[in-house]
Amino acid sequence: MAELLEAGGLRLVEVAAPVVPAEARTAMDREWDTAVLANPALFDGPVAVCAGLSRDTPDTLLVSWSRATYRHFALRRVPGATAPRSLFVSIVQPTEDGRVLVGRMSSATAAPGRWQFPGGSVEPPTGDEPLDEPALRRHAAVELAEETGVDLPAAELTRCLVTHGEDGQIGVHYLAPPLPAPLLHQRFEALVAAETARGHVPEFDRIALVGSPAELPDLTGPHVAYLEPVVRWTSRRVGS
């Protein structure tokens, strides 16, 4: 499960990168190499990981983050190692009748078959650019377009929730304006056709529109921990 947090403000502060002891690093590299052999599409690019979450003020959340690469997540499979915690964004894309879009991760991803909202891990900024809320919102807009074909200006996304998972993962969730259900299916089908024509495997191999948590068991396969509580939250607000 995941704790749902609401706040008027969100502040992000960079802290020192995690230190991985030599023995754990060797095991991490071994696990990463094994994962890449099983899925050559995996890429060891830069990623921002969560170092901490606290209340900066009663109405502001403070997220501490640091720089790592995706291979650091292989520490989750190393007994006794301290693995980094994910920092990710996701997008709640509602329909005009109050349902929300969820997608199933394809075989080319790190979590094939898993159902979740559109979104992904946060990448650290380059140069002097800050990692702040406008940057998170831009990243969320890119993820929505890349995974569903729905291309919206970042300014149209509104932060609605922050989730804190039992494993320490932090998700920043944005609400998109409602769109007609047929349009969402058309955009996704056009994206899949375009990606397939390029020889690429789309990140989602299927989408579904759900109106309440009671419909989630119909989605065969694993679900991210935050899916049920966020769907429950949105069904009370978006669908009302």
Side-chain angles (χ1 to χ4, degrees):
M1 292 295 290
E3 178 186 9
L4 304 187
L5 304 171
E6 298 182 56
L10 180 67
R11 192 162 71 91
L12 296 103
V13 175
E14 184 175 4
V15 297
V19 176
V20 182
E23 184 175 347
R25 179 171 291 277
T26 298
M28 174 187 76
D29 291 340
R30 184 171 58 249
E31 291 291 343
W32 175 258
D33 291 343
T34 299
V36 171
L37 282 174
N39 184 358
L42 296 179
F43 172 63
D44 189 26
V47 65
V49 296
C50 179
L53 174 70
S54 61
R55 286 277 179 182
D56 200 19
T57 70
D59 196 40
T60 302
L61 290 171
L62 173 63
V63 176
S64 302
W65 67 276
S66 57
R67 298 171 189 264
T69 68
Y70 281 96
R71 81 169 51 231
H72 285 78
F73 291 133
L75 286 167
R76 295 169 179 170
R77 297 188 293 274
V78 176
T82 300
R85 297 174 289 173
S86 296
L87 173 62
F88 66 93
V89 294
S90 86
I91 307 89
V92 178
Q93 174 60 71
T95 61
E96 292 178 328
D97 60 5
R99 292 176 292 167
V100 293
L101 183 153
V102 296
R104 187 175 67 182
M105 300 294 282
S106 72
S107 60
T109 66
R114 187 181 69 187
W115 288 92
Q116 61 181 62
F117 286 114
S121 298
V122 173
E123 296 180 0
T126 58
D128 295 329
E129 296 180 5
L131 182 58
D132 53 14
E133 181 133 33
L136 292 185
R137 193 179 292 111
R138 290 193 297 272
H139 183 55
V142 169
E143 293 283 352
L144 181 64
E146 289 181 347
E147 295 182 351
T148 70
V150 176
D151 194 359
L152 294 175
E156 294 190 15
L157 301 179
T158 304
R159 176 168 47 82
C160 57
L161 284 174
V162 174
T163 54
H164 184 202
E166 293 178 350
D167 54 3
Q169 296 189 35
I170 300 298
V172 184
H173 305 266
Y174 290 92
L175 181 64
L179 293 172
L183 178 61
L184 294 178
H185 285 292
Q186 291 168 10
R187 294 281 176 86
F188 180 69
E189 290 167 6
L191 172 69
V192 170
E195 289 292 284
T196 302
R198 298 188 187 101
H200 299 161
V201 178
E203 291 191 59
F204 284 160
D205 62 15
R206 179 184 168 192
I207 63 169
L209 302 174
V210 296
S212 75
E215 299 174 28
L216 293 177
D218 296 333
L219 303 178
T220 303
H223 303 170
V224 290
Y226 67 81
L227 191 63
E228 190 276 339
V230 175
V231 167
R232 185 177 302 280
W233 185 93
T234 56
S235 68
R236 294 170 177 167
R237 290 159 177 81
V238 176
S240 59

